[in-house]
Structure formats: structure tokens, C-alpha cells
Amino acid sequence: MHKPSLEKPILEAHNISKSYEINSSSYFSIKKETIRVIKKLSLSINKGESFGIIGESGCGKSTLARILIGLDTPDNGKIFIHNQNKVNLSSIEINKLIQYVFQNPIASLNPRLTIQDSLLTPIKSFFNYDYEKSIHLIYEMLDSVGIPKTSLKKYPHEFSGGQAQRICIARALLAKPEILILDEPVSALDVSIQAQILELLVKIKKEFNLTYIFISHDLAVVKNFCDRVSVMYYGDIVEDGDTNKIFKNPLHPYTKLLVEVSPTKNKKIQSDDFGELPNMTKPPNGCLFYSRCRRRNEICYKKSPTQINKGGRFVACNFPL
Amino acid sequence: MINFISKLGRNKLALFGAIVILLIVILSIITPVLNLVNPNEVNTANRFIKPFNETHWLGTDHLGRDVLSRLLWGTQLSLVVGFLAALFAAVIGSLLGIIAGSLGGRLDNIIMRTIDVLMSFPYVLLALAIVAVLGPSLMNALIAVAIVNIPFFARNVRGVTITLTNSDFINASRLSGRSQTEILFFEIFPNVTPVIVVSFSTTVGWMILETAGLSFLGLGSQPPQSDLGSMLGDGRSSLIIHPHTSLIPGIMIFIIVMGINLLGDGIRDALDPRLNQGSLTRSKPMTDVARVKIPTKRSNALLEVNSLETKFKLNKNEFKAIENITFQIDKGECLAIVGESGSGKSVTALSIASLISSPPGMISNGSVWYKDEELLGLTYNKMRQLRGKKISYIFQDPLTSLHPLKTIGHQLIETIRTHGNLRTKDASRISVGLLEEVRISNPNLVMGSFPHQISGGMRQRIIIAMALSNNPDLIIADEPTTALDVTVQAQILKILENLRKERGLSVLFISHDLNVVSQISKKIIVMYAGEIVEYGDTDKILNKPLHPYTKALLNCSPDLNSKKLLISPIPGNPPLITEQIIGCKFAKRCSKKTSSCLEKIILIKKINDRQLRCINPV
């Protein structure tokens, strides 16, 4: 989805789609079924923004992240980084621009390598500095993320989740990227540690002049952290715009549903029948949200909505709120 | 490494095997310098001398050769050949396994199908065929045995490699710019080494046996050179009259193989992380209870927990996971326990129905009263009847709580019939009713489905239906919505609330999420480092927290409605269970700390509308 802006977008995706084939087998037969995880999705991210992507599990937000970073390739569509087509860039060139922070910090560090070895890797592959310069850089980075230098000879299992996530952030930053994709970076952490990591992310964003893509299922965290947010449903973006506006006055019924059910203090549980994600292998013809929508009518059943611009916000709904 | 050796040392059998093997290895290393008779010196005049002779300690064989000298040289040869064969198989097999596993695709298919072909022949037949083609010699026997064992290594290593290739840290190193070859050697290889070592140590004995077998058949070592197998072969013809010529090498083979296998099993156990965690040690069906006195019942509550204390034993030290836990739940009430991981909230929940695994856990103080029964003193049979019938549990991960190979209907009916004497038909009818109660729209379809065929939210509702099946008075729900999406979470919370209102069910709700807790519970307990720090009405505590920890926790929980943009974190980390702290356990991280906070034990006190463990409240 495009946002008219004078600034040049740092990262753009045009109509990317991705589907997987799965074998659904019963006792006597094996059927091949196609699941469309991302369908014709477009987005553009401006330099320096904190861009949030929210959605339920299975909506394709992690697949989108993997495609943007290059761990997966889209079936169709193009991705541009700094106006350069991504297919023309080598993986080293891409990862020098974009880095990734995983959800589970301990699992994303090699259990048999010391922290020092893990941190030396990006410097060696991207810059090939000598050992002394590399160690010096690592010391500086550890200082930025708040990990003592004495930790370098330790192994990942000796750290708590929060510390390990700091180390993972340090590793990503050592590539000197411009964009950091944060895939649920605090969901595996305790609340008090979660807040520490979010604070650290805010600090280093200024320090290193970063652009964030923040993927989360937690609306409250996204609201606290992101300038702009895209709501993903079933492999596509259904609403996109300024975070505060979106959460205050959602335009898409799905966004409204998410806001309503997100638990907050002093709010009692409301209605309880929202259905679940429809079967991915047999997508409906019209609006994908049809089966769960309270505003649906016959038109929605037949016609899949197109994106419309409503006061600088984008929404894909036949009858926006 | 030291850890590994000490673990190995604790295993008595492995230690015994290690000593035996060490002795044999030393013996075969010093064989050349021992002043032994030439093992191949024929002296037919002295044939078949019995053992314990002065010049020939172990006698002589059919050609008058000294058995002791031949035994030691033969042992050396057998060990070297077996070890080399294992090394050869390990190197080639692991290499094939790593390549197949990490590159995947067609190459994987070609390698693994070739290996399947190798594996479709019986071991000995294949080895015989290879030797038959290459011609009999010790070297060829070694090659044959090695080839026969390549599949074993290749398959083991490939399996591990595939899991590793899809792991987060391999993806992370790829994003750090590592090339495929670098990933193979620097990232994957160090992680498959334990598998290779384990496979190696468990096969080397088997390989010695196999080469000995080939030599025994005359296809291995050729005269005059001889290993243990060919000694056995030579002695076979005179087994009845002169048993020592075949018995002695036979016993030697037995000792070597036994020693290696004992050691190999020990190494496997010491390297297996599952065994380290003690997951294979069997725990008792009920938690051990060791308490001096039983606190009496003080209220009319449905469930009353009094000064509960649970300890864990780690390396001979005892650590308190929870202490001084006191609370009550009335009929139809929902009480929530909130806290971060390690705060003891789950331990509290599990201690109530003696579900803490013993060892290492044990309940060291306190009492749990359910109506007029004291639960911690119950016999196993009584407790079993109570669990599931009067007190039900719901856990975080619904998938692991369901049997993957049985249909939902089967499991529901089974649960109902365990506690009540019902016909299957009636149980089935009740099951459908329960599924309707937890708002499953097409219960008959779901009854016939397997757990993997339905969504996570549906599974959790089925777990709730199961928990309800015997009309319990109390449901203990340990993070029941943590793994679920917000929409599904709202459904589950609503279902629990309806059940509470309609059935008068009491709920103990455990969560780390203050926002969730505020929606469902009337009363709330805030736990920190194994203690209750604040306990009272949910609304009052969340709107006006008195304990600095509660306040800090609220300040760092992001809230969708708050105007404030940034949350303020609590500095530092919660204390480890091993840390001994006198006084307030939160003091280290507290902004209102004074010197008196750490001087003496701080008791929980009733202040106005709530209980509080703090001397400088907010």
C-alpha cells in the first residue's frame, strides 16, 4: 500500500505474493493443497520511521518479514531497497542494509559458539576488519546495548532471555544496517524485561539512525512503539495509517475487532463470538473477512474490496467504518 | 568438559567400562616393549601346552605358538582395526549426512536412497559380499565393515542436521553473512559433533566384533598375522579337547566389547541433554510432603491455602521456590495470581493438587484445605479421585495436553467414564453437551476430529470441556490464553466467566498479563520471587497499587488506553532461586528502598483493604 510522501521510501514491496504447498494426508490419500500466505501485498517504508505490522498468528506477518530480509523468496512481485531492485543485490549487500531480530533470542544464538564468535561473524563477513579493530567495535556495541565486556567468552545458555536479546540486537547492529526488522522481539520476555528491551530499541534507533519494521500481535506494545501501523489479515494489508488514529478510530471492522478484544485495565470482556481465521486452502471469493464481519452484506460475499484512501489512511473494505 | 566427565564418573557402569578399556589400551600400547616371545614363532613340539605353565603363562596353540603373546598382539591389532573402521565409517558417514541434510533437494534424495539400498542387505551378508569382491585380507575386512556402518552415521547425522538447518541460529548466521560452506563447518558441525561422538562410541565395539567375525571366517587377517577373530578361528577345531586356545581370545573379545559398550552408553547418557534435565528419571505420582505441623482451617472458603512452602533440591542444596503462601477462594469466585516467570505462580498452582514432580520438589510447610479435607495429607488414591473430579487443571499449551492419536470424542468420553460409571452412549451425549457449552458450533464434527486437525483456540476450548466433564468445583487455569491470539483469548475468557456465573465454578487464574487478569478476576495476588507481595481486590490494586513492585509492573505493562507514550522499565533482573536474600526480595530493584528493607524479614500485613508485604508503600 502506498503512502504519498515526499520522502523517498527506503524499502518498497510491490504486489508480492507467496504460497506454500502442503500435503494434507488422511489414511488412504495424499492431496496436495496450496496455501496462499501472502497475496499481492504492497507496502512502502520511509527512512527513520517505526513501522508496525500487526495481525493474528497465521496472517502471514512472519513470512512477510522473511521475504523482506531474504530468508524466503516471493513467488511474484518486486522488492526495492533504496530504489534498487532486490534481485540485483547480493545477500551480503541486502543484509548490510537490513538486519533481523528473532523472537526467541536464545534459539537464535549458536549454542556451541561463544558470544564473541557470534558477534565477530557479521564484522568479518561484511567488513573484514582485523581482529583488534573488530574487538574494539564489539566492545563499543556491547556498551550501547548494556552488556558487560566480560560476557564475551560465555555461551548463550548462560544468559537470561533479556540479555540474550540484547546480544542479538548487538549482532544485528554490527552489520551497520539502516533497517532493522524486529519479529516479535519482546513476546518471549517477561513484562519488566520487555520494557527494558523496548527502551533500548528506542535509544539505539536515535543512536544509529535506524528504520524499524516491528512485527507483533500485541496492540498495546505496537501503540507504544510505532509511528505507523499496517494491519494484516489473511496475507494482505487491510488497513494502514498513523498508529494513534488507527487505534482510536479504526476504519476496518477487523482493526476494530482487534482493538475491542485487546485486554486493557478496567475493561470488561465484551461479546465473545468472533470466529477464527477461515480455512487457508479454500479462500472465499469476496472479502476474506466476510465470515467474521458484523457489517457484511451480499456485496461483500461477491466483491473483494479495493484499497481506498480515506483522509491519508488506507483501508481495504467495501463499507469502512 | 569437566561437567561431562563428572557426569560420566557418576555412572558406575560407565566408569567400570572406562577403566577396563583404559587397561586394555595401555596393555596394547606397551605390548611392543614387553619382553614377549615372537607370536609367530612355531614350535610344533610344544603344541597345546595348558595355561599357567611357567614359560607359557597362557599355554600354546596347535602350532606351539605362545598364546599370551598372540593374545596381546591380536588385541592390539583388533583394537586398531576396529577403531580405524569406526573412524572411517564416522568420517564418510557424517560427511554424507551433513551434506545431505544441509543441502537437501535432489542430492539429499540420491545420497539417502543409495544408503537405503546399502541398509536393505543384512550386515554380515553385505560385508561378506564386499570382501568376496575385494579378496580376503585384513585391510579389505576393515573396508567392508566400515562401508556396512556408513549408513548408521549418515542417517543419524542427517536427521540432526536437518533440524539444525531450519533453526533460528542458522538463519541468524546466514543473515550475518556466512556462506553455505562456512555455515556447514562453523555453525552446523560443532552442533553435530556430540551425535557423531555418541554414534562412534556405541558402534566401535560392534565393529571390533564384526572384523573379528570376518577374520574368524578366514576372510580377515591372513596367517601368520592374526587378530582375535582369527585366533578364535584357529582354536575352533580343538575347542573340545583344548578349550583354552579358543576360550582365551573369546573372553578377550567379550571384555573389550562389553567395556566399550558400557563406556559408550555412559557417553551417550552424559551428552544427551534430555537425560541431563532428568526428564527420564521417573517422578512420583504425588509430591513428597515433609512438614512439621499442619496449619488448621480458618475460613469457610472452598479452597484455603495456608503458609504453603515448596522446595526444590538441586545438587544437594535446597531452594525455596515459594514460601508463606496463604489465600482463599470462595465458591464462584475468580482469584488471579500474577507474576513474572520464576515468581512461583505455577509452583503454587501445581502444589495445590500435589503435582510438583518429586524429586526434585517437595512441599515443606503449610496446608491446603479443600472444603473440610486437607489435601496434602491425602493418600494417592484419594488424591487421584479429587484431581480431575473436583479440581481440574488447564495448562498453557493445549496441544501437549491432548493425545495426538485419539479423536477428541474418544478422549472426552474416556475422561467422563474414568470418574463416573456411565455407558459410552451416555458419555458421548454428555460430551456433545459440554462442547456446546464451550461454544463449539459443530460438536459432532469436532468429536470425530484429531487434535492436529483443529485450531489452537478450539483445542483450548476442548481442554476446558474436559476439565468440566466431571462437574468440578475448582478450575486451576495456568496461563490458559498465553499461546493464543487476542480474539481467541477473549473467547476463552468469556467462556470461563460464563461458567463461573452459571455453574458457580471457582477459578484460580494464573497469568503474567495484568491486563488479562483485570478483565477476569475479582481478587488478585501479585507474586515476586516466591512470595506474595500484594493481595486484594483487583480494581483497587490495579488502580492504586501500594507495593512498589506492583506499581512498577503496571508502569511497564503497555496499555492500549494510556495516553502516556513510553513505558518505564524496572531496572535489573528478578533474583535467582539460588540467591539468599534477607528482607525484601524486590529491594535491589526498588526505587523506594531504604536500609531497613534488607535488615530483617518483612512480613505480610493487612493494610486497609488489602494485604501487603512492604514497609515503605507507595
Side-chain angles (χ1 to χ4, degrees):
Chain A
M1 210 168 288
H2 286 277
K3 189 184 178 183
S5 166
L6 297 174
E7 286 175 78
K8 256 192 210 154
I10 189 167
L11 181 74
E12 277 181 289
H14 288 296
N15 290 326
I16 51 171
S17 55
K18 175 85 189 169
S19 43
Y20 289 110
E21 263 192 0
I22 54 155
N23 293 328
S24 70
S25 59
S26 60
Y27 287 117
F28 302 107
S29 66
I30 294 177
K31 270 190 298 186
K32 274 220 158 88
E33 284 179 337
T34 313
I35 288 191
R36 299 182 72 178
V37 190
I38 306 279
K39 63 171 276 230
K40 289 210 166 176
L41 182 146
S42 299
L43 54 81
S44 89
I45 292 151
N46 296 323
K47 189 162 174 52
E49 86 179 321
S50 289
F51 176 74
I53 299 175
I54 53 171
E56 289 170 281
S57 52
C59 73
K61 52 191 194 303
S62 282
T63 309
L64 175 64
R66 288 174 62 90
I67 289 175
L68 292 178
I69 190 76
L71 285 173
D72 243 329
T73 43
D75 301 336
N76 284 305
K78 289 186 184 126
I79 294 166
F80 294 93
I81 307 171
H82 276 313
N83 282 334
Q84 281 176 292
N85 194 333
K86 195 171 153 207
V87 288
N88 300 329
L89 298 169
S90 72
S91 64
I92 292 273
E93 284 170 312
I94 294 169
N95 292 331
K96 253 171 118 165
L97 290 166
I98 314 182
Q99 276 292 325
Y100 191 85
V101 175
F102 292 80
Q103 175 173 358
N104 186 342
I106 306 247
S108 64
L109 291 165
N110 191 331
R112 302 242 159 209
L113 295 185
T114 58
I115 298 311
Q116 175 169 329
D117 287 336
S118 287
L119 291 178
L120 277 172
T121 311
I123 306 183
K124 189 174 172 294
S125 342
F126 297 127
F127 306 107
N128 208 8
Y129 293 146
D130 60 30
Y131 179 78
E132 257 168 43
K133 187 165 183 190
S134 309
I135 286 291
H136 181 70
L137 281 175
I138 289 178
Y139 281 164
E140 275 182 4
M141 191 54 75
L142 288 182
D143 210 37
S144 294
V145 299
I147 291 285
K149 286 171 192 157
T150 47
S151 309
L152 279 181
K153 298 282 178 215
K154 289 188 184 171
Y155 287 88
H157 67 265
E158 297 172 63
F159 294 94
S160 67
Q163 289 171 315
Q165 194 60 294
R166 286 169 192 269
I167 292 165
C168 290
I169 291 170
R171 173 174 61 185
L173 291 179
L174 282 168
K176 293 205 187 321
E178 293 180 32
I179 307 170
L180 210 52
I181 300 182
L182 305 156
D183 190 356
E184 306 261 12
V186 294
S187 336
L189 307 173
D190 265 318
V191 196
S192 70
I193 310 299
Q194 177 175 328
Q196 291 177 0
I197 297 292
L198 289 175
E199 192 186 52
L200 171 70
L201 288 171
V202 171
K203 187 192 98 164
I204 57 171
K205 181 166 186 280
K206 280 187 209 134
E207 202 173 321
F208 296 93
N209 208 2
L210 293 165
T211 304
Y212 282 155
I213 301 175
F214 190 94
I215 296 168
S216 179
H217 67 278
D218 189 334
L219 268 67
V221 171
V222 169
K223 191 193 170 197
N224 274 295
F225 195 79
C226 300
D227 315 321
R228 187 160 69 97
V229 63
S230 275
V231 183
M232 261 185 100
Y233 184 71
Y234 211 152
D236 203 357
I237 292 172
V238 294
E239 186 166 358
D240 170 286
D242 178 84
T243 310
N244 285 322
K245 285 183 190 160
I246 280 202
F247 290 152
K248 205 170 173 196
N249 299 309
L251 293 178
H252 197 285
Y254 178 60
T255 318
K256 185 160 190 272
L257 172 68
L258 286 182
V259 172
E260 268 174 17
V261 298
S262 290
T264 56
K265 231 170 47 179
N266 302 330
K267 188 176 82 178
K268 291 297 162 208
I269 316 162
Q270 299 171 355
S271 75
D272 65 332
D273 208 11
F274 327 113
E276 285 168 41
L277 281 181
N279 184 352
M280 290 283 212
T281 54
K282 297 177 196 85
N285 288 324
C287 176
L288 295 173
F289 190 58
Y290 178 80
S291 58
R292 304 172 72 182
C293 188
R294 283 176 231 162
R295 294 165 66 84
R296 66 183 174 202
N297 59 28
E298 317 82 86
I299 298 172
C300 304
Y301 184 72
K302 290 177 208 132
K303 182 184 165 230
S304 66
T306 47
Q307 293 152 9
I308 47 170
N309 182 344
K310 210 175 162 189
R313 284 158 67 184
F314 282 83
V315 59
C317 178
N318 290 325
F319 304 98
L321 293 155
Chain B
M1 191 67 199
I2 294 163
N3 189 5
F4 165 72
I5 290 170
S6 76
K7 252 182 229 146
L8 197 62
R10 258 184 275 152
N11 185 337
K12 295 278 161 1
L13 280 174
L15 195 66
F16 173 70
I19 293 169
V20 168
I21 291 305
L22 198 70
L23 285 179
I24 292 173
V25 168
I26 292 173
L27 211 59
S28 55
I29 288 173
I30 59 167
T31 300
V33 294
L34 290 177
N35 198 8
L36 290 170
V37 200
N38 180 354
N40 300 324
E41 193 185 86
V42 179
N43 182 355
T44 32
N46 288 335
R47 294 175 70 200
F48 294 126
I49 295 179
K50 293 261 180 281
F52 310 116
N53 176 290
E54 267 171 41
T55 43
H56 303 285
W57 288 358
L58 292 178
T60 56
D61 69 357
H62 64 292
L63 294 175
R65 297 175 293 195
D66 182 52
V67 173
L68 176 67
S69 163
R70 286 174 65 75
L71 181 76
L72 289 181
W73 284 102
T75 303
Q76 189 197 43
L77 192 64
S78 277
L79 277 180
V80 169
V81 169
F83 189 78
L84 282 181
L87 197 67
F88 184 74
V91 170
I92 307 264
S94 310
L95 210 62
L96 286 175
I98 289 188
I99 292 172
S102 62
L103 297 183
R106 187 164 291 169
L107 192 66
D108 180 27
N109 242 327
I110 294 172
I111 293 177
M112 292 324 287
R113 294 302 81 78
T114 318
I115 278 168
D116 285 348
V117 172
L118 269 185
M119 288 202 77
S120 59
F121 295 100
Y123 278 121
V124 180
L125 268 189
L126 183 61
L128 279 177
I130 296 169
V131 177
V133 173
L134 298 174
S137 84
L138 193 58
M139 193 60 200
N140 293 345
L142 186 153
I143 293 171
V145 170
I147 291 177
V148 167
N149 282 289
I150 284 176
F152 177 71
F153 283 94
R155 289 171 72 112
N156 273 352
V157 170
R158 173 180 173 265
V160 181
T161 312
I162 286 182
T163 339
L164 288 173
T165 314
N166 297 321
S167 67
D168 274 356
F169 71 85
I170 295 297
N171 279 332
S173 71
R174 193 163 284 142
L175 297 176
S176 294
R178 288 252 209 224
S179 68
Q180 184 63 36
T181 350
E182 283 173 330
I183 288 178
L184 219 61
F185 285 103
F186 299 123
E187 306 276 345
I188 294 182
F189 184 71
N191 285 287
V192 289
T193 349
V195 182
I196 300 175
V197 170
V198 168
S199 314
F200 186 87
S201 61
T202 45
T203 43
V204 74
W206 177 238
M207 302 244 197
I208 290 172
L209 212 56
E210 280 175 26
T211 23
L214 288 179
S215 292
F216 175 81
L217 297 173
L219 299 167
S221 68
Q222 298 301 310
Q225 184 197 43
S226 79
D227 66 359
L228 293 173
S230 55
M231 277 180 77
L232 202 60
D234 287 344
R236 181 186 44 169
S237 47
S238 44
L239 176 67
I240 305 297
I241 316 161
H242 304 289
H244 71 275
T245 50
S246 44
L247 263 184
I248 289 167
I251 290 169
M252 193 58 165
I253 293 176
F254 168 74
I255 292 174
I256 294 175
V257 175
M258 179 200 65
I260 290 180
N261 285 352
L262 287 178
L263 178 64
D265 286 354
I267 292 176
R268 186 196 58 207
D269 291 355
L271 283 178
D272 192 332
R274 279 184 312 151
L275 293 164
N276 284 347
Q277 288 158 4
S279 64
L280 295 187
T281 53
R282 195 187 295 193
S283 56
K284 297 175 193 167
M286 266 172 68
T287 315
D288 287 336
V289 178
R291 49 186 175 173
V292 188
K293 56 175 186 186
I294 303 168
T296 46
K297 194 169 158 81
R298 281 178 289 187
S299 68
N300 289 321
L302 178 80
L303 184 85
E304 181 182 311
V305 174
N306 271 331
S307 351
L308 190 65
E309 179 179 285
T310 304
K311 282 182 182 167
F312 285 93
K313 255 189 196 161
L314 290 169
N315 304 328
K316 289 178 188 161
N317 296 317
E318 285 182 351
F319 300 107
K320 284 180 195 165
I322 53 169
E323 57 181 318
N324 268 319
I325 304 294
T326 302
F327 62 86
Q328 302 87 31
I329 302 176
D330 287 327
K331 187 173 160 56
E333 185 188 47
C334 177
L335 171 71
I337 303 182
V338 281
E340 298 179 86
S341 48
S343 63
K345 53 191 195 306
S346 289
V347 174
T348 308
L350 293 171
S351 297
I352 289 172
S354 289
L355 285 171
I356 298 279
S357 52
S358 284
M362 70 177 198
I363 293 169
S364 44
N365 209 347
S367 61
V368 177
W369 292 91
Y370 166 77
K371 291 183 178 165
D372 289 321
E373 256 179 316
E374 207 284 309
L375 299 189
L376 301 180
L378 289 184
T379 61
Y380 173 54
N381 277 332
K382 279 232 167 128
M383 178 55 95
R384 234 191 94 195
Q385 279 182 359
L386 209 83
R387 286 180 191 165
K389 198 166 184 182
K390 293 293 162 208
I391 302 177
S392 287
Y393 277 84
I394 305 171
F395 295 103
Q396 179 177 343
D397 186 356
L399 192 57
T400 51
S401 310
L402 289 167
H403 195 300
L405 295 179
K406 292 182 180 168
T407 60
I408 302 299
H410 187 121
Q411 300 184 51
L412 266 168
I413 291 168
E414 198 181 288
T415 319
I416 293 170
R417 294 190 62 197
T418 320
H419 287 283
N421 215 350
L422 282 172
R423 281 181 304 164
T424 314
K425 218 174 113 192
D426 295 331
S428 167
R429 199 170 32 77
I430 296 174
S431 305
V432 172
L434 285 169
L435 290 180
E436 276 165 355
E437 196 169 354
V438 294
R439 294 179 168 261
I440 284 174
S441 47
N442 41 3
N444 286 313
L445 184 75
V446 171
M447 288 278 281
S449 310
F450 289 95
H452 70 269
Q453 291 172 320
I454 55 179
S455 70
M458 195 98 96
R459 275 184 221 127
Q460 193 61 294
R461 276 183 268 173
I462 284 156
I463 295 289
I464 296 179
M466 268 184 193
L468 290 176
S469 60
N470 291 296
N471 251 321
D473 295 323
L474 173 69
I475 283 194
I476 299 178
D478 190 352
E479 305 258 8
T481 61
T482 307
L484 305 173
D485 277 314
V486 275
T487 47
V488 187
Q489 168 170 291
Q491 287 171 340
I492 300 286
L493 294 180
K494 190 76 188 174
I495 289 169
L496 283 175
E497 191 178 67
N498 289 345
L499 290 171
R500 195 174 58 75
K501 282 182 185 155
E502 287 158 20
R503 288 186 171 224
L505 194 72
S506 305
V507 180
L508 178 62
F509 192 92
I510 315 252
S511 178
H512 68 280
D513 191 332
L514 284 168
N515 291 325
V516 171
V517 162
S518 75
Q519 291 197 303
I520 184 160
S521 70
K522 199 170 133 254
K523 283 190 172 167
I524 176 179
I525 290 174
V526 182
M527 281 187 77
Y528 187 77
E531 290 178 334
I532 295 179
V533 294
E534 197 165 357
Y535 174 20
D537 281 353
T538 311
D539 289 346
K540 286 178 186 156
I541 288 187
L542 295 189
N543 289 317
K544 194 173 177 298
L546 288 183
H547 198 285
Y549 175 65
T550 317
K551 188 174 160 81
L553 200 60
L554 276 165
N555 278 344
C556 65
S557 318
D559 188 345
L560 204 56
N561 287 340
S562 72
K563 297 270 183 302
K564 190 167 42 125
L565 263 186
L566 253 176
I567 42 196
S568 42
I570 310 175
N573 292 299
L576 298 172
I577 191 176
T578 48
E579 268 175 65
Q580 305 281 345
I581 299 170
I582 303 163
C584 176
K585 294 188 174 163
F586 184 62
K588 203 176 64 172
R589 305 169 77 186
C590 183
S591 57
K592 301 198 59 157
K593 179 179 81 167
T594 58
S595 58
S596 47
C597 289
L598 283 167
E599 271 165 9
K600 57 176 188 221
I601 294 169
I602 291 164
L603 298 172
I604 192 155
K605 278 187 191 140
K606 198 161 164 60
I607 296 178
N608 299 331
D609 50 357
R610 68 189 82 178
Q611 295 184 43
L612 187 70
R613 191 189 295 277
C614 182
I615 49 171
N616 297 318
V618 180

